[in-house]
């Protein structure tokens, strides 16, 4: 399960090749950058190459992590992933190339507090709700600017019912529905 909502094109552009390079050169792995940015593995690699990054081998990364300062940076990065992005211990272990126990140890070293499963689920639900509310407000603005529900549904790959539900959640004042079928004046009685 992906803890992050899909990254919009604006958000993915905010993760610059230079920012990724600086994080990588300070000890982050490509997997950690993928987890932190929400970008795909290939996109992160492409941006690192665009920035002229000299890539490390896995043994170079391990040796770097044996350095106490590199371990502190790793622990701080894992805490950020855990607290700000709602990552699980399993996801931290994957990002750090550690076991769950090792990731937990690093998290605690960085001053983090381990959450319960319920706390993680609530945190992720809140993040999804916030993202959905942002989408609903965006749809509302576009609908009120004159776009139609079917057009919005096609563009966002949502069903028409989902767009109506999001517009309703955003408190949108709906336009009157169009009468489909024969014109009303054609039914006039003699």
């Amino acid at each position: 399960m992906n803890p992050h909502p899909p990254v919009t094109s604006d958000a993915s552009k905010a993760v610059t090749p230079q920012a990724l390079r600086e994080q990588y050169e300070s000890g982050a792995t490509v997997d950690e950058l993928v987890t932190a940015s929400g970008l795909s593995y290939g996109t992160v690699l492409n941006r690192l190459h665009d920035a002229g990054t000299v890539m490390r081998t896995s043994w170079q990364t391990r040796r770097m992590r044996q350095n106490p300062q590199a371990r502190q940076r790793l622990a701080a990065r894992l805490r950020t992933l855990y607290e700000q992005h709602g990552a699980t211990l399993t996801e931290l272990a994957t990002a750090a190339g550690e076991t769950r126990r090792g990731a937990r140890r690093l998290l605690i070293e960085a001053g983090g507090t381990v959450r319960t499963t319920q706390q993680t689920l609530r945190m992720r639900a809140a993040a999804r709700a916030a993202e959905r509310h942002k989408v609903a407000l965006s749809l509302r603005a576009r609908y009120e600017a004159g776009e139609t529900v079917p057009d919005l549904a096609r563009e966002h790959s949502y069903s028409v019912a989902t767009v109506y539900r999001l517009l309703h959640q955003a408190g949108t004042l709906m336009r009157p529905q169009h009468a489909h079928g024969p014109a009303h004046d054609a039914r006039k009685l003699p």
Side-chain angles (χ1 to χ4, degrees):
M1 184 166 129
N2 186 357
H4 310 291
V7 177
T8 61
S9 59
D10 293 337
S12 68
K13 290 177 186 169
V15 182
T16 64
Q18 190 58 39
L20 289 172
R21 177 181 179 173
E22 290 170 8
Q23 291 176 26
Y24 182 82
E25 290 177 349
S26 71
T29 64
V30 174
D31 286 334
E32 290 168 350
L33 295 176
V34 167
T35 304
S37 68
L39 299 173
S40 72
Y41 192 90
T43 301
V44 169
L45 279 179
N46 287 339
R47 290 191 183 177
L48 287 171
H49 289 296
D50 289 345
T53 308
V54 176
M55 303 303 286
R56 297 185 302 266
T57 62
S58 58
W59 69 267
Q60 289 171 320
T61 300
R62 280 193 301 274
R63 190 166 53 177
M64 174 186 269
R65 292 203 169 162
Q66 290 173 350
N67 174 342
Q69 292 171 340
R71 183 177 174 86
Q72 288 173 348
R73 285 193 304 270
L74 173 62
R77 189 172 311 104
L78 292 180
R79 182 178 179 187
T80 300
L81 288 173
Y82 191 74
E83 293 177 350
Q84 295 177 8
H85 299 286
T88 64
L89 287 175
T90 302
E91 291 164 343
L92 293 182
T94 301
E98 292 274 345
T99 62
R100 278 177 45 99
R101 186 179 214 167
R104 184 179 191 276
R105 190 178 313 120
L106 284 167
L107 175 66
I108 292 169
E109 283 177 24
T113 304
V114 180
R115 295 185 302 264
T116 65
T117 303
Q118 288 300 323
Q119 290 171 320
T120 299
L121 292 173
R122 280 195 299 273
M123 180 183 221
R124 288 182 170 191
R128 284 192 305 272
E131 183 64 27
R132 194 164 178 89
H133 183 68
K134 193 162 80 172
V135 169
L137 292 176
S138 168
L139 290 172
R140 176 183 177 175
R142 294 180 58 196
Y143 177 81
E144 289 175 347
E147 291 193 48
T148 66
V149 170
D151 289 342
L152 292 170
R154 265 191 305 280
E155 184 176 327
H156 290 278
S157 300
Y158 290 147
S159 69
V160 170
T162 299
V163 172
Y164 272 115
R165 187 170 41 257
L166 288 169
L167 289 172
H168 175 71
Q169 289 171 357
T172 308
L173 182 60
M174 302 304 290
R175 296 188 289 262
Q177 292 185 344
H178 300 289
H180 298 287
H184 293 289
D185 55 333
R187 297 183 193 163
K188 290 183 182 176
L189 296 173

